[in-house]
Amino acid sequence: MQVAHLHRSTGADVSARSRCDRAAIFEEIENTLDLKWIITAVLGTWRNEVQQPSSISIDADDGEEAAEELSDLMEALPVNQKKTIDDYLNIMLNVNKTLNLTAIRDKDDAYIRHVADSLALLPVIEKYATHTNGLKVIDVGSGAGLPGMILAIVRPDWSVTLLDTLGKRINFINSAAQEIGVGNARGLWARAEDAGKNKAGFEEREAHDVVIARAVAEMRILAELCLPLVPVGGIWVAAKGVDPSAELAASEKAIEELGGELVAIERVGSQAPEGYRTAVIVRKVRPTPAKYPRRAGLPNKRPL
């Protein structure tokens, strides 16, 4: 577009020709703006349809495949690991009579709701972690020790930290781990905000290859609790329900602000009547700003 030279003029200088020139200029600007809008719209569509990672989509058959994979995984566990899991459940359900560890009271339900759901995360972790031998894993909001304790049992070369804010739960976790002989699991009594900030003597910031969270909080809150715990290259795996799309949409800003990038949503097997669940995988691609996580309680009160 040619840019016209507009000079100062008085009312007497205005002629029919100058009015025509101005009209032509405004028409050209209007056409250019229309073209710019069209280009922007087309580029936006192209970015959404072409540049988005294909791994984010979930195929219809993934649920059945994940269920079969989970069944095979549970069947293939060594006898000693199956016994250790069973021993852990016995201790957990016995302690649960006096200490509220879980809403599950029945052992069969515990296998379905806890053991199977915990093991379902294993293939996802091993698929997206940068390495699988000697992984350092932290389970945020571990509660009754799930899924962290189950993962520690089936992967004895991993170092698994089970973090929870309630001291009684951590005492149970450490006592049970000692009783069943799981030496690669440790309970950590801490707020994730303090652990991720290395406050109060903690040294957990960027100290783990993988951070996992199951049934703890929504994604935008979890992002601030979890991403500071892994270094660049590490992953955060969030166990979610059938459709986490609304949570993900709300958490995009938080994940980006904290240095994360959504990698994939995987369907994972479940033996519960509701059917399959999902695992959301976020990779740390940039350092988390030093100001995060904010002080304890603030991520819940004012999510990013």
Side-chain angles (χ1 to χ4, degrees), residues 140-141 213-217 222 239-240:
V140 171
R214 172 178 176 257
V216 178
L222 281 177
K240 289 295 175 182

Side-chain angles (χ1 to χ4, degrees), residues 266-281:
E266 295 273 355
R267 280 187 177 173
V268 295
S270 175
Q271 296 184 348
E274 297 88 345
Y276 71 85
R277 299 178 183 274
T278 56
V280 178
I281 302 92

